[in-house]
Amino acid sequence: MGKDLKGKELGRGLSQRPDGRYIARAQVEGKPITLYGWNATQLKKDLAAAVDAAKRDNLMPEVDGSKITLNEWFVHKFSFSTILYIQMNI
């Protein structure tokens, strides 16, 4: 939990630098996300959006996540997990 310059808790992944700017850090599957800003509440929203976007990108790296239907995603994941299951049991 980070703190601001007055000692107030800011929340997980958020802290304040000595120059007054806020820094937000997170990791999604080993990939770091670092954002800077002057407004802590806006930075929290931006960090949440960046983490969601990174998670969405990791669902199917070879396919654009915004243009896939739920059915296509399910078929892709089901076929991949079935192949792994068959390979592990052989």
Side-chain angles (χ1 to χ4, degrees):
M1 293 280 231
K3 295 184 179 183
D4 66 0
L5 296 177
K6 296 178 182 177
K8 181 182 170 187
E9 291 285 335
L10 294 173
R12 185 175 179 172
L14 201 67
S15 61
Q16 192 173 18
R17 296 167 44 99
D19 64 355
R21 284 189 297 170
Y22 293 94
I23 181 171
R25 294 182 184 173
Q27 268 194 336
V28 177
E29 296 192 19
K31 296 180 182 176
I33 298 172
T34 306
L35 301 174
Y36 296 92
W38 293 103
N39 187 344
T41 55
Q42 183 62 39
L43 195 58
K44 283 182 184 180
K45 293 176 186 177
D46 293 343
L47 181 64
V51 168
D52 288 342
K55 286 181 180 178
R56 194 175 325 112
D57 290 343
N58 287 335
L59 287 177
M60 293 178 64
E62 67 277 359
V63 178
D64 181 17
S66 63
K67 296 181 182 178
I68 189 168
T69 65
L70 179 62
N71 192 29
E72 292 170 341
W73 177 83
F74 180 77
V75 168
H76 176 75
K77 287 297 182 184
F78 183 73
S79 63
F80 182 71
S81 62
T82 305
I83 290 170
L84 285 178
Y85 179 75
I86 291 171
Q87 288 176 350
M88 289 174 60
N89 289 332
I90 292 180

